[in-house]
Amino acid sequence: MTTARTIGLPVLILLMGLLYIFVIPSDPHAVKLLFKLVPMGLIIVYAYLNSPAFKERYSKLILIGLFFCMLGDGLLGMFVVGLSAFLIGHIFYFAAFVRRWRYSKTRFAAVVPIFLFALFMGWKLMDALAQHDKGALMAPVLAYLIVISSMAWTAIMSGQRWAITGALLFVASDSILSWNLFVSDIAHSGTYIMTTYYAAQFLLAYSLLRSPSHRTNVSFYTA
């Protein structure tokens, strides 16, 4: 059973993710959407089964965040509704990482590149939305950008390498998605978006398995 949880489920998640990205056709849409949700459902099961401390608030917050992100996947056809579900998911991730806050000057300084990147993305997205008469989307897109950037920074401040990598991959995935959707087309964007997205969510789930006392850190995470 342990092998099935630690090896079998990740392999199944990988296979189902690859199936969705490279094999399942766009039509019918309902089938495509179902296969999009399957990897996330498996990631939630993986996180739940392998969390050694489910009673800890951190574990509960990450699991709730994963659930709301899965809702966002399903509802993204209604863009603002799906975006709101993802935003709620990031708030739960943010709350989880704050509970593992481990201050260091090196990690704190990460706020600078994150802020500059968010500023650049905000400028490009707001300009694109204005040019395409989509002003109604400015507020929700800007709110989402602020929340996901804050989530990424608090992940860095937690010092947990898997959570950090997952959070940054999430930022990369959503940056590609928003740029492709509003600014300009990116070749093979769907592949880049979903591979980074599934990897991000899996690593956030995997962070539940790594308690602070058992982490192996390198200088960036301990500075």
Side-chain angles (χ1 to χ4, degrees):
M1 183 64 179
T2 300
T3 302
R5 289 202 307 259
T6 58
I7 299 176
L9 260 178
V11 170
L12 184 58
I13 291 166
L14 175 63
L15 291 176
M16 294 306 296
L18 292 174
L19 183 66
Y20 167 75
I21 296 169
F22 296 107
V23 178
I24 303 300
S26 298
D27 292 315
H29 176 71
V31 174
K32 184 71 171 180
L33 180 60
L34 174 63
F35 276 90
K36 181 183 183 183
L37 297 176
V38 168
M40 272 304 299
L42 292 172
I43 288 171
I44 292 173
V45 172
Y46 172 78
Y48 177 78
L49 292 178
N50 288 286
S51 175
F54 177 66
K55 292 182 179 180
E56 283 190 2
R57 187 67 61 84
Y58 179 85
S59 299
K60 291 180 180 179
L61 291 169
I62 292 292
L63 280 163
I64 295 171
L66 289 168
F67 174 75
F68 272 99
C69 286
M70 185 174 70
L71 284 183
D73 281 332
L75 297 170
L76 203 55
M78 298 177 286
F79 182 75
V80 174
V81 177
L83 191 71
S84 298
F86 274 115
L87 186 146
I88 294 170
H90 288 310
I91 290 174
F92 279 102
Y93 290 151
F94 174 93
F97 299 142
V98 167
R99 295 186 67 83
R100 295 285 175 88
W101 185 281
R102 296 170 63 235
Y103 177 80
S104 80
K105 292 181 180 179
T106 303
R107 287 193 295 271
F108 192 86
V111 71
V112 176
I114 290 175
F115 172 77
L116 292 175
F117 180 74
L119 193 65
F120 171 76
M121 286 297 296
W123 166 54
K124 297 297 290 185
L125 291 173
M126 294 304 104
D127 182 61
L129 289 171
Q131 288 185 20
H132 293 90
D133 296 322
K134 295 181 178 180
L137 294 179
M138 286 184 174
V141 168
L142 187 59
Y144 184 81
L145 181 61
I146 293 170
V147 170
I148 193 173
S149 300
S150 301
M151 182 277 293
W153 182 57
T154 52
I156 292 172
M157 291 304 298
S158 76
Q160 299 181 89
R161 66 174 66 208
W162 303 113
I164 294 170
T165 307
L168 294 179
L169 281 173
F170 214 137
V171 171
S173 177
D174 279 357
S175 297
I176 297 168
L177 186 151
S178 58
W179 192 279
N180 183 72
L181 194 60
F182 300 122
V183 181
S184 63
D185 291 339
I186 298 175
H188 311 295
S189 60
T191 300
Y192 299 141
I193 291 165
M194 294 311 299
T195 51
T196 51
Y197 172 72
Y198 285 141
Q201 297 285 40
F202 178 81
L203 291 177
L204 290 172
Y206 186 71
S207 74
L208 298 185
L209 283 69
R210 313 300 295 177
S211 64
S213 59
H214 291 92
R215 288 197 305 268
T216 302
N217 294 316
V218 294
S219 58
F220 176 81
Y221 302 93
T222 58

